[in-house]
Amino acid sequence: MAVRAARASALERSWWLRAPAVLVAPRAVFVSLRDDSEEASDSRQEPLIALVGLACIAGVLATPVGRTLMNHEGVTPIVVAVWAFLGGAAYAVGVYWLGGGLLYGAARRFGGLGSYLRARSVIALSSAPLALSLFTVWPVRIVIYGQNLFRTGGNDYGPGDRIFGDLIYLAFAWSAILLVIGVRSVHGWSWGRSLATVGLAVALPVLVVLATVV
């Protein structure tokens, strides 16, 4: 039992290092998800849940709601931080569980044999660029613009801030690319089949967003 516990602990520590490595060596990290054993799956859950949680905090900060929070009287930076944490946690549940379910269903539609747990893991690893933006783009953006980021008006609206916005969009695009790479790597599929799987998985969320906007 002691040997098994030590091995499980070592595997989990390795995933804390391996998860960020998806940014530089995505295929190797995604391929390691093919090990669907209980021990391997358990060892990566905490690091991957933390990764998708950080990514979703970065995502909610970038929403139109986040950019106007301090328009309301009594909203302080502490309130914004708590809102971002709670909102990120709520988004993480949706992205990890519902998004994983959509990806799993789409992969099954195209003949995939992977598990629902593995689909969730692919989703989580794909969110790494957004998690990275929380520690790179957002701190610099907040230092430059301060509280003006979270209220209408101020010096945060202009060409400078648009650059930061473009970097956030780039993080989303990078995550989308990683998602396709992840599907291709874990299933050993062609690029076309992988793109079709991701397209089918994101079709429903896109339609929901369009319905709310239109």
Side-chain angles (χ1 to χ4, degrees):
M1 292 295 292
V3 173
R4 184 178 297 178
R7 174 177 166 78
S9 179
L11 282 172
E12 183 173 338
R13 286 196 302 271
S14 74
W15 267 103
W16 283 107
L17 298 174
R18 194 181 304 174
V22 74
L23 296 167
V24 293
R27 187 180 182 281
V29 177
F30 281 117
V31 165
S32 65
L33 296 179
R34 292 179 180 177
D35 184 356
D36 251 349
S37 66
E38 183 178 352
E39 184 180 36
S41 299
D42 289 345
S43 68
R44 60 185 179 238
Q45 288 313 295
E46 287 189 14
L48 297 191
I49 289 173
L51 187 65
V52 75
L54 293 171
C56 288
I57 291 174
V60 298
L61 285 173
T63 61
V65 174
R67 297 301 301 274
T68 60
L69 275 178
M70 296 191 73
N71 286 355
H72 306 286
E73 186 177 352
V75 176
T76 65
I78 296 297
V79 173
V80 173
V82 172
W83 173 85
F85 177 80
L86 295 178
Y91 269 71
V93 171
V95 170
Y96 188 64
W97 294 96
L98 299 180
L102 290 172
L103 184 63
Y104 172 70
R108 295 285 290 184
R109 187 74 176 177
F110 285 95
L113 301 176
S115 67
Y116 173 39
L117 179 59
R118 191 169 75 181
R120 297 202 309 266
S121 298
V122 172
I123 290 283
L125 283 172
S126 301
S127 70
L130 280 170
L132 179 65
S133 74
L134 187 64
F135 297 101
T136 54
V137 176
W138 278 104
V140 177
R141 198 178 192 185
I142 290 172
V143 166
I144 294 174
Y145 299 112
Q147 298 181 21
N148 286 332
L149 274 174
F150 306 106
R151 62 164 60 97
T152 303
N155 64 346
D156 62 312
Y157 285 85
D161 190 57
R162 281 197 291 273
I163 293 174
F164 287 106
D166 290 340
L167 290 174
I168 299 297
Y169 287 128
L170 179 62
F172 275 104
W174 189 358
S175 290
I177 292 170
L178 283 182
L179 184 57
V180 177
I181 293 173
V183 171
R184 184 173 186 268
S185 299
V186 298
H187 293 289
W189 287 347
S190 65
W191 285 110
R193 194 175 181 185
S194 303
L195 280 167
T197 299
V198 173
L200 181 60
V202 303
L204 179 60
V206 168
L207 289 174
V208 171
V209 171
L210 290 177
T212 58
V213 173
V214 178

